[in-house]
């Protein structure tokens, strides 16, 4: 990341370059992320900088992954327009930038619900996955007005053959419906068992499998205990 400091005349870019760690880069690249900054150190830098909207915009415009992650930590989520969020999502091609953009910015923005309704139908599966992530948030926290049975219909019909990122997001929604809504749990478990999405996904010891039937059963068990 030695070239990062040359992207713009920002002292923060030089600081990010100094945080480059080859070991962190190797780990991040395994997950599709092209940066070598330890996220704990990145958060410490963001905490020191505090909220700076104009700086955040300039960092985002560099196109560098670490700079964009820092931008998402120091921006004002409510300061972005709907069109800006849509454009930023389409530019966010690495998994971590995509996830932080949705979770730290879009979910806290007044246009979140409008985008939740628009994105799932987008022909770009990565964009569509963001719409499903926003829907999963509502399933868990604000389910009023959602057609949960209709969501299960869509998941049942489309998840098996969906591209990886979109499939993962739909599977998360399936699991959350089964965990949070007992009246739909039997159907959610049945869909998961029949589609077998992520059934063989490698899971580290002590972690819960993302296979929906296992995930649902374990989380319900924890809630009951």
């Amino acid at each position: 990341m030695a070239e990062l400091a040359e992207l713009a005349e920002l002292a923060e870019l030089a600081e990010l370059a100094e945080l480059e760690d080859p070991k962190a880069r190797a780990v991040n690249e395994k997950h599709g992320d092209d940066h070598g900054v330890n996220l704990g150190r990145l958060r410490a830098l963001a905490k020191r900088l505090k909220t700076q909207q104009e700086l955040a915009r300039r960092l985002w415009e560099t196109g560098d992954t670490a700079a964009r992650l820092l931008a998402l930590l120091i921006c004002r989520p409510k300061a972005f327009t709907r069109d800006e969020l849509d454009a930023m999502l389409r530019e966010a091609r690495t998994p971590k930038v995509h996830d932080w953009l949705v979770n730290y910015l879009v979910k806290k923005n007044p246009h979140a619900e409008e985008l939740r309704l628009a994105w799932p139908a987008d022909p770009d599966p990565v964009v569509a996955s963001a719409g499903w992530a926003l829907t999963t948030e509502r399933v868990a926290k604000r389910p009023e007005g959602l057609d949960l049975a209709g969501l299960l219909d869509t998941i049942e019909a489309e998840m098996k053959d969906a591209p990886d990122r979109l499939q993962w997001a739909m599977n998360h929604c399936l699991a959350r419906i089964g965990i949070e809504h007992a009246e739909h749990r039997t159907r959610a478990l049945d869909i998961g068992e029949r589609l077998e999405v992520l059934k063989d996904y490698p899971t580290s010891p002590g972690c819960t499998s993302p296979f929906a039937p296992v995930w649902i059963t374990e989380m319900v068990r924890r809630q009951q205990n």
Side-chain angles (χ1 to χ4, degrees):
M1 201 164 67
E3 72 279 6
L4 180 56
E6 301 174 4
L7 288 174
E9 294 179 356
L10 292 175
E12 291 75 18
L13 293 177
E15 288 193 64
L16 285 174
E18 292 175 0
L19 294 179
E20 173 74 11
D21 181 346
K23 292 183 179 179
R25 177 172 289 276
V27 172
N28 292 332
E29 287 181 345
K30 290 181 180 179
H31 298 93
D33 291 306
D34 57 348
H35 73 92
V37 177
N38 176 280
L39 296 182
R41 299 180 72 183
L42 185 73
R43 290 181 186 279
L45 174 58
K47 185 176 181 179
R48 177 164 57 81
L49 292 173
K50 300 181 180 179
T51 301
Q52 297 190 48
Q53 180 67 10
E54 184 56 36
L55 174 59
R57 290 185 183 278
R58 293 175 68 190
L59 288 169
W60 181 270
E61 289 170 359
T62 68
D64 178 80
T65 294
R68 286 184 163 181
L69 291 174
L70 180 59
L72 294 170
L73 292 175
I74 66 171
C75 70
R76 288 196 298 272
K78 295 181 180 180
F80 295 90
T81 68
R82 179 202 182 283
D83 289 345
E84 284 177 323
L85 294 177
D86 185 76
M88 291 171 73
L89 183 74
R90 295 174 194 280
E91 296 172 2
R93 307 315 296 180
T94 62
K96 187 63 68 176
V97 172
H98 175 95
D99 291 343
W100 282 21
L101 176 65
V102 173
N103 287 290
Y104 297 167
L105 203 166
V106 179
K107 287 182 180 180
K108 299 176 182 179
N109 184 277
H111 299 287
E113 180 63 12
E114 183 182 354
L115 293 169
R116 182 191 74 81
L117 295 171
W119 281 340
D122 197 276
D124 183 334
V126 177
V127 174
S129 73
W132 278 93
L134 294 174
T135 296
T136 300
E137 174 87 353
R138 277 207 54 190
V139 166
K141 297 182 178 181
R142 295 182 296 107
E144 298 79 11
L146 289 180
D147 179 6
L148 298 179
L151 290 173
L152 290 175
D153 288 343
T154 301
I155 291 168
E156 186 173 22
E158 300 177 10
M159 182 173 72
K160 181 74 172 179
D161 298 319
D164 288 348
R165 291 282 291 280
L166 178 55
Q167 185 184 72
W168 185 275
M170 295 177 79
N171 183 73
H172 192 176
C173 189
L174 171 66
R176 191 53 59 186
I177 291 172
I179 293 165
E180 304 292 344
H181 302 279
E183 68 275 21
H184 295 285
R185 186 168 299 145
T186 298
R187 186 181 177 201
L189 289 166
D190 177 67
I191 291 172
E193 290 286 0
R194 285 188 291 103
L195 298 187
E196 298 186 332
V197 169
L198 301 176
K199 184 175 183 179
D200 299 319
Y201 190 85
T203 305
S204 302
C207 297
T208 302
S209 169
F211 179 46
V214 174
W215 190 355
I216 293 168
T217 301
E218 174 59 18
M219 296 306 295
V220 170
R221 182 192 68 79
R222 294 183 190 182
Q223 290 175 351
Q224 293 173 343
N225 289 342

